[in-house]
């Protein structure tokens, strides 16, 4: 070895030691539980895609600056997926004619983006993707937002902990193109700028905005600053696309989602969206940021040259959700799946003790069988460090008598049990 | 669109539509069930690692030809992990002093290698990695092979369906370096060649071998062709490292693993291994190949400049295991987690029906709620295509009477139930 090998993970990525893995599994298990309750089926794909897939809709900007793109040894341009939506659209398009729509699909892929790591954003993160394909009515949006809401609730959040902001593409297009009279290019640039409205200082935002729209700055700001439809300029309140948002918010209320508000400044980063967009924000003062979002993207499947399919979905990332749980103190305590550690007091009882460990496993107990010889106190300390709740020491005495001392490490109790009763005693106490 | 966008996955990778995803989840769930029963804890890490990690032990060959390696936008050399062992060794080394050994860890990462896709080998695959750290005795090997064996059994395999070949590094070193008198470099080259013994024609193998060892060819072949310790040349049968293998095979028999044999030609691909190595082979004539393997690698953690930790582990890939299950007809039928599809016969009952769907979800039933209007026969066809076992149609009649017709699509039965009894009826039949 000429140079010391680093033990650190690659910049902007994380090592998941069992404790953080367990936390991540808690996130994913909770998400899975909800989406499967709504009848969603899991799919997945490779982490590598041909780069063309991202050039088509994401715009060159993302392909060039934020992706891990390279040429493989066979000369193919490939990219490590920065998001899942192009992949799922590709998969739907590939079997456009055989799939039985509507489809309800979910996946929890890892995604990579080359960017400066910061709070809530790493180079690699995992993201629940939930999508419904083939439902044209707003029932799709209602279902998708209901799922997002149910996941938040199952994490232990209340309606006060987060707010769901909604907007739609039609009203954005109307406001920029008709109300302000911007052409397509300028309205696109202005939309991108508005998307960053809450991430840059207000002065900078207004200055950049006026470069595009000049004297219309106040006219636009009076729209963007509206906190509800009632605060919009009068002539916009009656707009079809705006009254539709109102009706949508009321429908969400009727299914028990009462923390949904209209936000005319909600743009969402990508250009996929064709209808309703939504974004969930943390209301906690220490984490006042966007958590995740989604919307309707009816045109994406069609770019593969097949008949378009209507689509609504959202992506929920593990890093931002973990921040949310931390700030609201909703993270569960670490728990391991291992229920019991069996240790031997003497090498002579090894086979006997292994037999018992296997017997317990057949009885559905998760058992660490430890043959390394240590003092009982050390075994106990190690079991506690691994959060294993029970320990059983086996020596010649136990082998002869058939009676075992089961130690409950949480309650600091010792229970004497016969071989046949170990499982029963454990299951009663777990 | 200037060029038609491909809907195909990147070469050598797979799209997992819900049906194949369910199959893959069956593999992973089965693996998880066994390893957690043995008290193993899950870990994970990023798919990207700095390239140096693989240069250290794998040898330049792998880094140069078989990995996806590139330079990131910040000038770092990075590699998409081709295997998990260097990562887990890095993680252990990073917390060498704080971790409570022995550690029992598992992970199911996806791995990428740039190679020509062929049966049993794709560019991307998933691999269960199971490792025990900090156990110096052969109890570690016994446990690791017991886990591998238990997974095979839980997949439904019998002892006749596969064979576990074992060897150890010490006897290989003795045979090549002492018995044949090869220097380190030549013995390394010969070991690599023997590793490919069953993948190349016998004539080519012998020809290549004789280039390294000349007249000793027959001497070596009489070792490599031995099907048991008794078939080895007399002077090798008494060798400590060989009698140790014999004792090891007997110990495996004593824990109920009776399909383990000695194979002096078993080398394993990498240079990690310091003791016992093993490899599981399919015995089916149509799939007569290596399925997976592992062994002891006590020196790997030490390359990070920390105190070494003894380690034993194996990696079990999804592609080869799926081939094994297919050829032995052990793959389960497709089943979805979704239990019921609720359809509306009229838009006027949408809210009422959604309420019922949510009520059932709260009662732990997985429910697709379908508001798209189709003929009942089309809804049934679509439910069958998604393998959903039950369907419930709700119209004005059902809303008024409070009586529902639950259709059991598998048994082609229709059961009339009250709202309160739907869950009970479903759970009884599932």
């Amino acid at each position: 070895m000429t140079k010391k090998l680093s033990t650190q993970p690659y910049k902007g990525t994380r090592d998941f030691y069992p404790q953080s893995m367990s936390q991540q599994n808690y996130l994913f298990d909770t998400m899975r539980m909800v989406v499967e309750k709504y009848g969603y089926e899991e799919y997945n794909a490779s982490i590598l895609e041909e780069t063309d897939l991202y050039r088509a809709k994401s715009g060159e900007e993302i392909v060039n600056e934020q992706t891990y793109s390279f040429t493989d040894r066979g000369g193919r341009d490939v990219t490590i997926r920065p998001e899942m939506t192009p992949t799922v659209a590709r998969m739907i398009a590939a079997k456009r004619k055989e799939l039985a729509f509507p489809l309800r699909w979910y996946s929890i892929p890892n995604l990579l983006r080359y960017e400066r790591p910061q709070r809530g954003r790493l180079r690699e993160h995992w993201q629940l993707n939930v999508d419904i394909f083939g439902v044209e009515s707003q029932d799709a949006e209602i279902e998708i937002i209901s799922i997002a809401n149910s996941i938040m609730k199952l994490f232990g959040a209340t309606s006060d902990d987060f707010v769901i902001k909604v907007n739609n593409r039609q009203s954005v297009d109307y406001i920029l193109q008709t109300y302000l009279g911007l052409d397509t290019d300028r309205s696109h640039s202005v939309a991108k700028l508005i998307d960053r409205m809450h991430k840059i200082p207000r002065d900078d935002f207004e200055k950049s905005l006026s470069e595009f729209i000049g004297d219309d700055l106040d006219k636009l700001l009076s729209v963007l600053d509206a906190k509800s439809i009632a605060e919009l300029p009068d002539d916009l309140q009656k707009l079809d696309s705006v009254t539709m948002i109102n009706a949508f918010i009321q429908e969400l209320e009727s299914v028990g989602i009462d923390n949904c508000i209209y936000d005319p400044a909600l743009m969402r980063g990508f250009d996929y969206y064709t209808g309703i967009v939504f974004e969930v924000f943390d209301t906690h003062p220490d984490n006042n940021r966007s958590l995740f979002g989604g919307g309707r993207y009816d045109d994406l499947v069609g770019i593969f040259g097949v008949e378009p399919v209507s689509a609504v979905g959202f992506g929920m990332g593990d890093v931002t959700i973990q921040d949310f749980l931390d700030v609201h103190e909703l993270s569960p305590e670490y728990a391991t799946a291992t229920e019991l550690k069996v240790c031997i007091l003497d090498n002579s009882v090894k086979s006997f003790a292994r037999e018992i460990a296997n017997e317990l496993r057949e009885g559905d107990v998760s058992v660490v069988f430890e043959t390394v010889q240590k003092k009982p106190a050390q075994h106990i300390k190690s079991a506690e460090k691994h959060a294993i709740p029970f320990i059983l020491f086996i020596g010649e005495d136990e082998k002869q008598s058939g009676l075992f001392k089961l130690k409950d490490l949480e309650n600091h109790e010792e229970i004497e049990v016969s071989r046949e009763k170990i499982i029963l005693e454990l299951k009663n106490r777990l």
Side-chain angles (χ1 to χ4, degrees), chain A:
Chain A
M1 295 297 312
T2 48
K3 176 185 147 189
K4 208 184 161 207
L5 252 186
S6 168
T7 59
Q8 292 310 296
Y10 169 61
K11 188 177 176 182
T13 72
R14 293 162 287 169
D15 283 337
F16 293 90
Y17 286 84
Q19 197 146 344
S20 36
M21 188 76 223
S22 152
Q23 177 60 35
Q24 211 197 27
N25 278 338
Y26 164 73
L27 298 186
F28 298 163
D29 290 347
T30 304
M31 294 171 181
R32 261 175 222 283
M33 208 174 293
V34 173
V35 295
E36 295 197 347
K37 207 52 72 54
Y38 279 82
Y40 282 63
E41 297 179 287
E42 193 173 0
Y43 70 95
N44 199 4
S46 172
I47 192 157
L48 280 188
E49 290 277 4
E50 297 206 22
T51 303
D52 279 345
L53 182 65
Y54 305 102
R55 290 204 183 105
K57 194 79 184 181
S58 312
E60 287 286 337
E61 177 197 339
I62 285 157
V63 171
N64 290 337
E65 288 167 27
Q66 288 183 14
T67 60
Y68 285 92
S69 299
F70 60 97
T71 305
D72 78 8
R73 295 174 199 278
R76 276 189 177 77
D77 286 338
V78 289
T79 292
I80 305 179
R81 62 180 171 214
E83 46 163 344
M84 198 61 173
T85 310
T87 295
V88 71
R90 177 180 65 66
M91 288 173 65
I92 298 284
K95 302 208 175 187
R96 178 68 183 86
K97 287 192 180 148
E98 4 174 350
L99 293 167
F101 294 94
L103 292 177
R104 289 169 170 84
W105 281 14
Y106 81 93
S107 190
I108 311 180
N110 54 336
L111 310 171
L112 275 106
R113 288 197 185 197
Y114 186 79
E115 57 186 341
R116 190 171 57 84
Q118 52 186 293
R119 179 175 169 85
R121 281 186 92 83
L122 294 171
R123 287 188 175 175
E124 181 180 48
H125 76 134
W126 274 254
Q127 190 186 60
L128 168 70
N129 277 252
V130 182
D131 296 274
I132 181 166
F133 296 95
V135 177
E136 285 165 32
S137 77
Q138 246 169 42
D139 294 327
E141 281 92 337
I142 295 288
E143 178 163 305
I144 283 292
I145 294 180
S146 295
I147 291 172
N149 182 66
S150 296
I151 294 172
M152 295 301 284
K153 293 293 170 70
L154 195 56
F155 278 131
T158 65
S159 304
D160 294 337
D161 294 334
F162 63 99
V163 63
I164 305 168
K165 297 182 179 176
V166 295
N167 197 2
N168 68 17
R169 179 69 185 264
Q170 288 71 24
S171 69
V172 170
D173 284 350
Y174 180 89
I175 289 164
L176 297 180
Q177 293 171 16
T178 308
Y179 190 65
L180 294 179
L182 301 174
D183 61 24
T184 316
D185 276 1
R186 277 210 297 173
S187 76
H188 187 87
S189 304
V190 169
K192 289 234 170 249
L193 194 56
I194 297 172
D195 193 42
R196 302 186 56 231
M197 178 173 169
H198 299 295
K199 291 175 186 160
I200 50 179
R202 180 75 179 202
D203 282 354
D204 295 352
F205 173 66
E206 291 187 9
K207 206 177 147 210
S208 306
L209 210 52
S210 59
E211 281 169 24
F212 286 107
I213 58 172
D215 290 347
D216 279 340
L217 179 65
D218 286 343
K219 193 173 172 185
L220 178 55
L221 289 179
S222 73
V223 175
L224 298 179
D225 290 336
K227 299 262 170 289
S228 68
I229 292 170
E231 288 183 19
L232 282 179
D234 285 349
D235 41 347
L236 290 180
Q237 291 187 26
K238 298 274 169 355
L239 205 63
D240 273 357
S241 54
V242 170
T243 55
M244 268 176 61
I245 297 174
N246 201 28
F248 181 65
I249 291 174
Q250 281 173 8
E251 199 176 344
L252 283 172
E253 267 172 29
S254 79
V255 300
I257 300 172
D258 56 5
N259 52 342
C260 190
I261 58 167
Y262 168 58
D263 182 356
L266 182 68
M267 297 287 133
R268 298 283 302 152
F270 284 102
D271 303 324
Y272 301 146
Y273 298 107
T274 56
I276 291 272
V277 291
F278 73 97
E279 202 156 310
V280 174
F281 284 77
D282 192 344
T283 55
H284 197 290
D286 296 345
N287 194 43
N288 203 342
R289 64 190 298 284
S290 164
L291 296 173
F292 64 93
R296 177 175 287 273
Y297 55 103
D298 286 348
D299 295 343
L300 196 58
V301 173
I303 69 170
F304 294 91
V306 299
E307 192 191 341
V309 186
S310 47
V312 181
F314 71 92
M316 182 188 254
D318 65 332
V319 181
T320 44
I321 286 296
Q322 188 57 56
D323 286 345
F324 174 83
L325 297 185
D326 288 345
V327 83
H328 291 273
E329 294 179 4
L330 292 172
S331 286
E333 265 185 51
Y334 174 58
T336 172
T338 311
E339 296 162 315
L340 174 70
K341 180 170 171 175
V342 171
C343 304
I344 54 171
L345 296 169
D346 201 308
N347 247 328
S348 63
V349 298
K350 198 197 280 181
S351 301
F352 173 73
R354 183 183 278 130
E355 213 174 85
I356 291 192
N358 283 331
E359 192 172 290
L360 294 171
R361 286 170 185 147
E362 274 165 37
D364 207 28
V365 183
S366 288
V367 183
V368 159
F369 175 54
E370 200 59 87
T371 58
V372 173
Q373 302 265 0
K374 282 182 190 172
K375 285 181 190 148
Q378 287 177 307
H379 276 309
I380 289 173
K381 205 176 151 191
S382 169
E384 285 171 339
K385 219 167 161 184
H386 284 101
I388 301 172
F390 293 92
I391 196 164
L392 190 71
F393 291 101
I394 301 181
E396 280 297 344
D397 284 356
E398 285 74 13
K399 189 178 170 182
Q400 297 308 322
S401 70
L403 286 175
F404 301 86
K405 293 184 193 75
L406 183 67
K407 276 187 203 294
D408 180 334
L409 298 177
E410 273 165 32
N411 301 312
H412 305 285
E413 277 182 75
E414 189 174 277
I415 317 108
E416 196 171 74
V417 277
S418 64
R419 182 167 175 168
E420 299 71 32
K421 293 281 170 64
I422 302 174
I423 294 177
L424 191 70
E425 190 64 42
L426 273 171
K427 294 293 176 194
N428 279 343
R429 288 173 167 263
L430 280 164

